[in-house]
Amino acid sequence: MVEFLPLWLFAAVCVCLLFGYPVAFSLGGTALIFAAVGSLFGTFDSVFLEALPNRLFGIVRNETLLAVPLFVLMGVLLEKSKLAEKLLDSMAMLFGTMRGGLGVSVILVGMLMAASTGIVGATVVTMGMISLPTMLRRGYDPSLATGTICATGTLGQIIPPSIALVLLGDVMSNAFQKAQLEMGIFSPKTVSVGDLFVGALIPGLLLVSLYIAYVMVIAWLQPHKAPAVPRDELRANSNEPLALQLIKGLLPPLILIFAVLGSILSGIATPTEAAGVGALGAALLAVFSGKLNADTLKDSVYSTTKVTCMVFMILIGASLFSLVFRGFGGEELIHDFFSQLPGGVVGAMIVVMLLMFFLGFILDFIEITFVVVPIVAPVLLAMGLDPIWLGIMMAINLQTSFLTPPFGFALFYLRGVAPPEVTTQQIYKGVLPFILIQVFVLLMLALWPQLATWLPEQVYAN
């Protein structure tokens, strides 16, 4: 029984979370209780806890994590400046007059919002409030409309600059160095958040392209589910020329996104520095749109502080949990388990992906990134897997989990803002084709890892 204490520790944390206790305190509190009991019975060496101050100091000094509050602030400011509404109007004018065009517009706006906010919940709620009533009013099938919004909302998990990729990149970097040291490589290679950003571009754009293809096929085969919108109706609310409306709606967010991603890809700025550029750019957009005032700034800073405090409290709790897990021999237990699985590294990868998929029903990506990834990633990387490919696979896997009925977070977010006439069954039915698309992309990445690794090799070749 003693050798299975790490698994009991993990199970105890899951039970606490199911009872609704805060994640950070569930992690830290459960770990401390197990450590105290283990020390009392001689199964845990308290010397492991002496590393906690250094861990906490390392968290505070980690410049990569500074990107989290900056990207959150950028997303909140863009939300307050009503950018999504202008984007949707502009996209609808471009594509709305063809069958399925409004659905395509929602996907493209969702992609840009995902790249701007990087937060799944914010994108789903924003798009649900703005675009769902419009799609239903234009005669779109409720299942197709809700499925499109949920799927595009989860793109915030994979489209850079994603907060999920920032956190995952930091954890993956530490896991990669640890795996190489255990393999006897004492001048280890590194993997950065920027590597994950670049690696996520092709899979993210592939997902967007397949979403659009699906909507267009449905519009072609079943026109009544995605009807065209007359151009007179699209332009009824404005007397400005079409070109001017498009420039005002599309140009500002595109410039901001290209400034953030372009500075990273060109090597001019690190992801943290690019996050500062993004936050400043979002503030300027809010100023130019006339939406930035004292109340807006106060709400934005408050929301940013709240999210940042949550992330860092979870990180502190996860650091304590990982130390206690390691003290009970959890790393050796996981390594032995993976090494005995049939199928070698393939079998281990399948087990990890399934575990993370089901944990995505009860845990947010932050908890999974800080708790599960540090445990399993070093073992998988020591088996020879590429860290960029592994990070992208995990991100898309969690994205699929957040979309899967009946527990997907994105479904709950949309249910909260959807009109009463839209049923939960319609939402579940609508997301199923998009889940299949994401599973298909996961299989493509499994068969052709170059989809995630080729672009970083080209960008950072020199």
Side-chain angles (χ1 to χ4, degrees):
M1 287 292 292
V2 175
E3 63 269 21
F4 294 111
L5 276 175
L7 300 182
W8 287 110
L9 172 61
F10 189 83
V13 170
C14 291
V15 170
C16 289
L17 294 174
L18 288 174
F19 276 102
Y21 291 103
V23 175
F25 303 117
S26 297
L27 290 169
T30 306
L32 280 177
I33 292 172
F34 268 73
V37 174
S39 298
L40 186 63
F41 289 97
T43 57
F44 179 79
D45 189 351
S46 59
V47 73
F48 280 93
L49 296 179
E50 294 179 5
L52 184 61
N54 286 333
R55 289 276 187 100
L56 301 185
F57 188 63
I59 292 171
V60 174
R61 291 191 59 189
N62 193 331
E63 292 186 6
T64 301
L65 294 178
L66 188 61
V68 173
L70 291 171
F71 277 135
V72 172
L73 180 61
M74 181 179 87
V76 173
L77 286 172
L78 289 175
E79 183 184 347
K80 301 292 184 184
S81 63
K82 307 296 183 184
L83 182 74
E85 294 182 26
K86 298 177 184 176
L87 268 175
L88 187 60
D89 289 341
S90 301
M91 289 293 185
M93 281 184 269
L94 277 177
F95 302 106
T97 52
M98 63 182 185
R99 285 185 296 183
L102 193 55
V104 172
S105 301
V106 168
I107 293 172
L108 293 175
V109 172
M111 177 189 72
L112 294 174
M113 285 298 296
S116 303
T117 64
I119 305 173
V120 170
T123 308
V124 173
V125 170
T126 302
M127 296 302 297
M129 294 175 66
I130 295 171
S131 59
L132 183 56
T134 302
M135 296 179 80
L136 296 176
R137 191 169 62 251
R138 301 299 184 191
Y140 268 66
D141 179 72
S143 293
L144 179 63
T146 54
T148 302
I149 292 169
C150 280
T152 54
T154 59
L155 288 172
Q157 192 78 15
I158 191 68
I159 297 286
S162 162
I163 294 174
L165 292 180
V166 172
L167 301 176
L168 191 59
D170 182 65
V171 173
M172 197 63 67
S173 175
N174 296 329
F176 190 41
Q177 293 188 34
K178 182 178 179 181
Q180 291 178 94
L181 291 174
E182 290 178 355
M183 295 165 64
I185 303 173
F186 298 105
S187 55
K189 298 178 181 178
T190 59
V191 60
S192 67
V193 173
D195 294 328
L196 281 189
F197 278 6
V198 179
L201 282 175
I202 292 178
L205 293 175
L206 179 61
L207 275 173
V208 172
S209 301
L210 291 174
Y211 288 172
I212 292 174
Y214 167 73
V215 171
M216 295 305 294
V217 168
I218 291 297
W220 180 53
L221 296 177
Q222 298 173 296
H224 64 281
K225 289 189 175 182
V229 181
R231 183 168 295 277
D232 292 341
E233 293 185 28
L234 289 174
R235 299 186 59 189
N237 298 325
S238 177
N239 295 320
E240 294 179 339
L242 177 60
L244 181 60
Q245 293 183 60
L246 293 176
I247 291 174
K248 291 173 66 175
L250 289 174
L251 202 56
L254 288 177
I255 290 175
L256 179 61
I257 292 167
F258 283 128
V260 173
L261 290 181
S263 60
I264 297 173
L265 297 178
S266 62
I268 297 174
T270 65
T272 302
E273 293 164 345
V277 172
L280 177 61
L284 292 175
L285 287 181
V287 169
F288 293 141
S289 66
K291 302 292 184 180
L292 189 63
N293 51 43
D295 290 336
T296 301
L297 189 59
K298 180 182 177 181
D299 291 343
S300 300
V301 172
Y302 177 78
S303 299
T304 302
T305 305
K306 187 177 179 181
V307 173
T308 304
C309 289
M310 177 193 70
V311 169
F312 278 83
M313 282 302 299
I314 292 173
L315 184 50
I316 291 170
S319 297
L320 180 56
F321 174 86
S322 66
L323 286 173
V324 176
F325 186 86
R326 183 181 178 189
F328 280 119
E331 291 183 354
E332 292 79 7
L333 181 66
I334 296 297
H335 188 276
D336 292 342
F337 173 72
F338 281 172
S339 61
Q340 294 172 13
L341 281 174
V345 65
V346 176
M349 184 67 184
I350 292 173
V351 169
V352 168
M353 295 295 279
L354 288 175
L355 173 66
M356 293 182 69
F357 178 82
F358 289 115
L359 284 176
F361 290 157
I362 58 173
L363 301 179
D364 200 354
F365 74 89
I366 301 173
E367 296 96 78
I368 294 175
T369 300
F370 288 152
V371 178
V372 180
V373 177
I375 295 173
V376 300
V379 181
L380 292 175
L381 294 173
M383 291 174 142
L385 295 180
D386 185 274
I388 299 175
W389 175 82
L390 180 61
I392 303 303
M393 288 286 286
M394 287 179 171
I396 297 180
N397 184 34
L398 289 177
Q399 178 185 349
T400 308
S401 176
F402 297 156
L403 196 60
T404 302
F407 302 109
F409 285 117
L411 309 179
F412 297 148
Y413 292 137
L414 186 61
R415 177 67 276 175
V417 297
E421 61 268 21
V422 176
T423 66
T424 302
Q425 287 76 15
Q426 287 174 326
I427 297 175
Y428 287 178
K429 179 183 175 183
V431 297
L432 290 178
F434 293 96
I435 294 171
L436 294 177
I437 289 173
Q438 293 189 176
V439 172
F440 175 69
V441 171
L442 274 174
L443 291 175
M444 289 183 67
L445 278 168
L447 294 174
W448 297 289
Q450 295 82 4
L451 289 171
T453 60
W454 176 80
L455 190 57
E457 291 172 357
Q458 303 305 312
V459 172
Y460 299 112
N462 297 320

